[in-house]
Amino acid sequence: MKEILKGKYDDFIKSYEESKTTVLRVNNLKMSKEELVKRNLFKLSQIPWADERFYLEHIIFNSHKL
């Protein structure tokens, strides 16, 4: 990997120390984004440039909400 990335290798390794960002994409053939939000299974933040994608901030999962 060092040979492929050359001068960017150290930045690549450091990226593994950063906090992970989780993104959720709505399959709107199965459910609308409004339905996903209404079910309140996750704490979501809309990604401004991606209409069907959300940052997943926290899981609130309760099986009775499915």
Side-chain angles (χ1 to χ4, degrees):
M1 189 57 90
K2 245 181 182 176
E3 291 176 21
I4 295 170
L5 295 176
K6 297 183 173 50
K8 297 182 181 182
Y9 178 77
D10 289 337
D11 290 335
F12 172 74
I13 294 301
K14 286 179 188 174
S15 73
Y16 283 96
E17 297 171 3
E18 296 173 3
S19 62
K20 182 175 81 169
T21 301
T22 304
V23 174
L24 186 71
R25 183 185 70 84
V26 177
N27 180 345
N28 59 13
L29 296 175
K30 296 185 177 192
M31 173 188 306
S32 69
K33 72 178 186 178
E34 292 81 14
E35 179 63 26
L36 176 67
V37 171
K38 188 167 81 172
R39 288 188 184 199
N40 198 30
L41 299 172
F42 313 100
K43 183 175 182 208
L44 303 170
S45 296
Q46 177 77 52
I47 299 176
W49 62 88
D51 191 47
E52 297 156 352
R53 290 168 179 79
F54 296 86
Y55 291 118
L56 178 61
E57 296 179 17
H58 182 70
I59 297 175
I60 310 170
F61 182 81
N62 288 314
S63 60
H64 72 276
K65 292 182 180 181
L66 297 176

